[in-house]
């Protein structure tokens, strides 16, 4: 029904930048909110950033001032621009979307497969 496809992960040196992209594909659905989560080795999954349908954004304290989330509603795509990367940003980053199928009254949580971001010191 709906698929989230992430791209843009990779290996980067500390202080460098990466931009992650996540596109939602499918038919007969609407997207409420989109965001990014990450899971570092030995840690629980945590929220990185989220953007709602009206453009409101929220960020984890650890990434404020360094990361920027944006959204292209026409393309059903969310981006995460990551600047001034630190080794502690190393994690698998997961795209997330709250999606309402047109035939449903409720929202469903969709996840991408994840993309690895590794920041070397």
């Amino acid at each position: 029904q709906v698929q989230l496809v992430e791209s843009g992960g990779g290996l980067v040196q500390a202080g460098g930048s990466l931009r992650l992209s996540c596109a939602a594909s499918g038919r007969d659905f609407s997207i409420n909110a989109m965001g990014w989560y990450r899971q570092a080795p030995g840690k629980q999954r945590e929220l990185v950033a989220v953007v709602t349908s009206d453009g409101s954004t929220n960020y984890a304290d650890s990434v404020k001032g360094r990361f920027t989330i944006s959204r292209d509603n026409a393309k059903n795509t969310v981006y995460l621009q990551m600047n001034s990367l630190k080794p502690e940003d190393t994690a698998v980053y997961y795209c997330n979307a709250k999606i309402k199928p047109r035939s449903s009254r409720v929202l469903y949580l969709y996840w991408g497969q994840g993309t690895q971001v590794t920041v070397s010191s």
Side-chain angles (χ1 to χ4, degrees):
Q1 184 179 20
V2 179
Q3 183 179 4
L4 302 180
V5 180
E6 300 132 321
S7 63
L11 175 65
V12 65
Q13 292 182 327
S17 299
L18 287 172
R19 190 178 80 157
L20 306 182
S21 300
C22 174
S25 63
R27 300 199 306 163
D28 299 327
F29 68 91
S30 61
I31 301 176
N32 177 250
M34 302 187 77
W36 292 93
Y37 289 72
R38 68 186 181 187
Q39 188 165 18
K43 296 185 63 178
Q44 294 182 332
R45 185 184 64 187
E46 65 176 353
L47 174 69
V48 177
V50 62
V51 56
T52 63
S53 59
D54 65 357
S56 298
T57 59
N58 291 102
Y59 297 90
D61 289 340
S62 60
V63 306
K64 285 181 178 178
R66 300 188 298 119
F67 291 9
T68 302
I69 189 169
S70 61
R71 179 174 177 174
D72 187 335
N73 291 329
K75 297 181 178 179
N76 290 327
T77 300
V78 64
Y79 306 93
L80 185 68
Q81 179 66 47
M82 304 184 293
N83 298 326
S84 301
L85 283 163
K86 305 174 181 179
E88 49 264 45
D89 295 318
T90 295
V92 177
Y93 284 71
Y94 296 93
C95 177
N96 165 269
K98 287 185 175 180
I99 294 176
K100 177 187 171 299
R102 195 168 68 183
S103 61
S104 177
R105 296 182 295 107
V106 300
L107 297 170
Y108 293 86
L109 201 61
Y110 285 79
W111 295 91
Q113 288 295 112
T115 183
Q116 177 70 47
V117 172
T118 302
V119 184
S120 61
S121 59

